[in-house]
Amino acid sequence: QADLRTVRKSTTERKSMSTKTTIKRVALVAVAALGFGMLSSVPSQAYTSGYSLTVDANDTVAVGETATATITQTFYASSRYDSITVNAVLNSGSDKWTGAGVNLTVADSTTSATTASAANRPTIVWGNSANTTNSRSGDEVKFTNGVYGYANDSATVGSGGSNRYVTVTYTATLVGAKAAGTYTVSFNSSSYTAGSAAGAVASLGAATWTVTVTATDTTATAASFSTLREGSASLGELTTTDSAVSASKSAATTVGVAATIYVTQKNAAGTAGESLTATVSGPAYVSTSSSTRATSGSAVTFAWTSVSATPIYVWSTGTSGTATITVKTLSGVTVGTETVKFYGDVTKIAVLSDPTPLTIVRAGGYTSGTLFYVQATDANGVARSATFATTLTSASTSIASATIGSYDTDYNAYPVTLTSASNSVSGGSATLTFRVDDPATTAAATVDGVYLTATQAVTLGGSVATEVITLDKASYEPGEGMVITITAKDASGNPVYDGAASPALTATKTVGGTMLAASTYAGGKVDTIRRDTDGSVITTNTVFAPAAEGSFTVSRTTASTLVTTTNASADVVGASAAAIDAANEATDAANAATDAANAAAEAADAATAAAQDAQAAVADLATKVATLMAGIKAQITSLTNLVIKIQKKVKA
């Protein structure tokens, strides 16, 4: 503490302290100056001067995509042997790093005095090889050990290239990122002097590249679908149509896969890939393995690994019936619903009603096309293959033979064709009996009652002799729906055989819709009604009356000299004719109303006159009654007076 006045001792102490602190201050300034000098001065290794290492930008990619960055390295080399090495390290963080790796390649290199001479370019050292070209785009090293990725490269000033500024551009890529998250790559650099015994001289700066990996949209949409194939058949390229699958109910170990279901997942990004669940309703087991027969399991769940995900295999349970397999994604999207039919022993055969059987065979020794189908089914109604025995007929003079074709998978039944007897004529008939051995019996085939049977009645018809075209109405409004029918008969007057050609029709006025085209007769008729295969009506009107008023005629497009055709005509009644008819009807109604009004007026007049006559008669009657009453009253008065006089005389 300073004294308030001059003291010799204190003054001496201040002088002494001033000397000490001056030395400390000088030392402090010297240290600070030295420190600042180290920060700004060029070190003894001149190649570190002006050094920089930069990353162009951070990146964001989706899982499975590749991220790319450009790394730029610059430094000043005072010696042609000076070099700096860049290492790329993929930092570990969690299990998401598994499989990820970083690649580092040289994209380009230059010096401040680049000429055509290779001596003035940096030498790019990769491993033990050297390249004095400006580009090393073909070189790539990738280290991937499950956790870390590591790559390195070095740039050395070439011979004759001392005191140069060197710029090297690297391309870094991050690959194999299988999980969402933040990935960081560190680019570290170290300086070297060629010929130095120690090798590494100093560790320089680092740069960091951050890659954000976003989760892939794996959610499937309703555009996803499944495809059913028979047995263990492969999907096949571009196959999207389901197979119709019927398989034996047998659960023997020798019986293989009944069906295979393949799934195609889709979304807008093209990255759908959810886990799947297959659930069974009915007699089937499902699994994801085709090597071992499944003996249980009505549901299976498995992860989606790729576009060729594990197929779903369907197996029999030993019970016949229809199994329905529904495949859904984890998010609840129904990818597909497939059905597989398992059949048992045949218990019934029948002629199918769909398609509608054709039953008129051409007489005279002709063979028909397919007329109808016979089907064998098990106890649950599941169609299956069967071996049909001899087909019988109740009239061999009409039908010579019946042929059962190969199994038709469209109808799950067997087609039947018939051949008429050579001497048969139109109008003949027969009843066919089809049979198969009954698996439930063990009796010999020659014993009655060991067959399952089905019957079908057929008739014979001839070629077309007459055709009658008819319309369903005599007149139509413009554009009204019509039904056109052609009825064909043979020379005997019987319906023509099924499959006989029918003609195309035309009209004298333009009609709407589709006019009857050339086709074939069934049951001796053809019409414009659109029907399903079982004969049920889909659309009644497919052709419409002309728009123009007046009469029109429907006839064959091409006349025939062998067929007598009766055409059909009708009228089109337009709005003007209808209006005239309505006006005439209104006039008639008005006239009738006028007549009725006149009659009512006359009746009213007669009633008025009658009322007036009645009123006069009533008035006359009233007068007469009044006069009569007055006379009666006078008589009563006279009688009273007479009685009084008598009373008086009696008293007297």
Side-chain angles (χ1 to χ4, degrees):
Q1 181 176 358
D3 291 330
L4 297 178
R5 55 188 178 87
T6 301
V7 178
R8 185 187 302 270
K9 179 179 179 182
S10 298
T11 300
T12 303
E13 184 180 356
R14 284 196 299 272
K15 291 180 180 180
S16 175
M17 290 297 294
S18 176
T19 301
K20 294 178 180 179
T21 57
T22 297
I23 296 173
K24 291 180 179 180
R25 290 184 187 125
V26 170
L28 179 60
V29 169
V31 171
L34 180 60
F36 286 122
M38 292 181 66
L39 290 176
S40 59
S41 63
V42 178
S44 58
Q45 290 80 21
Y47 47 76
T48 61
S49 175
Y51 177 76
S52 69
L53 184 68
T54 59
V55 179
D56 62 340
N58 294 323
D59 289 277
T60 299
V61 295
V63 170
E65 294 181 345
T66 298
T68 303
T70 298
I71 315 303
T72 303
Q73 172 196 24
T74 61
F75 65 95
Y76 178 80
S78 59
S79 167
R80 63 178 180 174
Y81 300 110
D82 293 342
S83 68
I84 294 180
T85 298
V86 176
N87 302 323
V89 178
L90 178 60
N91 299 320
S92 64
S94 65
D95 291 341
K96 71 174 182 287
W97 297 94
T98 301
V102 60
N103 301 335
L104 187 64
T105 59
V106 176
D108 200 4
S109 58
T110 60
T111 66
S112 58
T114 299
T115 65
S117 172
N120 287 324
R121 302 184 187 132
T123 298
I124 307 301
V125 180
W126 196 274
N128 295 322
S129 63
N131 183 6
T132 58
T133 63
N134 278 334
S135 175
R136 293 280 286 176
S137 59
D139 289 328
E140 181 174 330
V141 173
K142 176 183 177 182
F143 297 87
T144 303
N145 59 12
V147 178
Y148 298 99
Y150 175 83
N152 68 76
D153 194 15
S154 63
T156 304
V157 177
S159 60
S162 60
N163 298 319
R164 306 294 190 195
Y165 284 100
V166 180
T167 299
V168 182
T169 302
Y170 303 90
T171 298
T173 55
L174 176 68
V175 296
K178 297 181 179 179
T182 301
Y183 294 71
T184 56
V185 179
S186 295
F187 300 100
N188 305 310
S189 54
S190 300
S191 59
Y192 292 79
T193 299
S196 170
V201 174
S203 176
L204 301 177
T208 300
W209 177 36
T210 301
V211 180
T212 302
V213 179
T214 60
T216 302
D217 179 14
T218 60
T219 303
T221 66
S224 305
F225 60 91
S226 62
T227 304
L228 180 70
R229 299 304 307 276
E230 186 173 8
S232 56
S234 61
L235 178 60
E237 187 177 0
L238 303 178
T239 300
T240 59
T241 303
D242 289 339
S243 301
V245 179
S246 292
S248 171
K249 72 172 185 177
S250 174
T253 56
T254 56
V255 178
V257 175
T260 307
I261 300 173
Y262 296 91
V263 174
T264 301
Q265 295 192 49
K266 289 189 173 185
N267 63 12
T271 55
E274 296 186 65
S275 296
L276 299 170
T277 298
T279 306
V280 179
S281 173
Y285 297 136
V286 287
S287 70
T288 56
S289 172
S290 63
S291 60
T292 304
R293 178 177 183 79
T295 57
S296 64
S298 59
V300 60
T301 299
F302 58 94
W304 179 270
T305 56
S306 68
V307 292
S308 56
T310 303
I312 305 166
Y313 298 102
V314 184
W315 310 81
S316 66
T317 64
T319 303
S320 68
T322 301
T324 302
I325 302 94
T326 302
V327 183
K328 291 186 176 182
T329 65
L330 187 63
S331 63
V333 175
T334 299
V335 174
T337 301
E338 307 293 351
T339 58
V340 177
K341 294 182 178 180
F342 293 95
Y343 56 78
D345 291 335
V346 176
T347 60
K348 177 183 177 183
I349 64 172
V351 175
L352 288 184
S353 59
D354 183 10
T356 303
L358 301 176
T359 60
I360 305 177
V361 184
R362 187 176 185 181
Y366 290 93
T367 299
S368 69
T370 297
L371 295 176
F372 49 84
Y373 292 83
V374 290
Q375 183 183 66
T377 55
D378 66 5
N380 290 319
V382 178
R384 60 151 302 170
S385 59
T387 301
F388 284 81
T390 304
T391 302
L392 307 178
T393 175
S394 63
S396 58
T397 57
S398 296
I399 300 298
S401 64
T403 302
I404 299 176
S406 300
Y407 190 79
D408 189 324
T409 56
D410 289 336
Y411 298 103
N412 295 318
Y414 294 87
V416 177
T417 60
L418 302 177
T419 300
S420 62
S422 59
N423 59 349
S424 60
V425 295
S426 172
S429 63
T431 299
L432 304 172
T433 301
F434 304 93
R435 66 188 188 186
V436 297
D437 292 332
D438 187 352
T441 66
T442 58
T446 57
V447 178
D448 291 339
V450 298
Y451 296 112
L452 300 172
T453 62
T455 61
Q456 178 63 54
V458 297
T459 59
L460 301 182
S463 301
V464 179
T466 63
E467 294 171 336
V468 178
I469 304 171
T470 57
L471 300 172
D472 62 330
K473 294 178 67 175
S475 64
Y476 299 92
E477 293 181 3
E480 183 180 357
M482 302 188 301
V483 176
I484 305 174
T485 304
I486 309 176
T487 302
K489 293 184 178 182
D490 60 20
S492 299
N494 297 315
V496 298
Y497 68 90
D498 289 332
S502 65
L505 300 184
T506 186
T508 54
K509 289 186 178 181
T510 302
V511 299
T514 303
M515 180 57 85
L516 196 61
S519 182
T520 56
Y521 289 107
K525 292 184 178 182
V526 65
D527 56 36
T528 56
I529 297 175
R530 182 184 174 197
R531 294 180 175 84
D532 205 343
T533 55
D534 62 356
S536 59
V537 175
I538 298 175
T539 304
T540 300
N541 298 123
T542 59
V543 61
F544 302 89
E549 298 180 26
S551 298
F552 68 96
T553 300
V554 177
S555 61
R556 290 176 62 111
T557 300
T558 303
S560 173
T561 59
L562 302 176
V563 179
T564 300
T565 303
T566 301
N567 298 330
S569 297
D571 295 324
V572 175
V573 180
S576 59
I580 292 173
D581 292 341
N584 291 335
E585 292 177 1
T587 300
D588 293 340
N591 291 335
T594 301
D595 293 341
N598 291 335
E602 291 175 358
D605 291 342
T608 300
Q612 289 173 349
D613 292 343
Q615 184 177 6
V618 170
D620 182 62
L621 180 60
T623 301
K624 290 180 179 181
V625 171
T627 302
L628 180 59
M629 291 300 293
I632 294 173
K633 183 177 180 181
Q635 291 178 1
I636 293 173
T637 301
S638 297
L639 181 60
T640 301
N641 291 336
L642 179 59
V643 172
I644 293 172
K645 286 179 179 181
I646 293 171
Q647 288 178 346
K648 288 181 178 181
K649 287 181 179 181
V650 174
K651 290 181 180 180

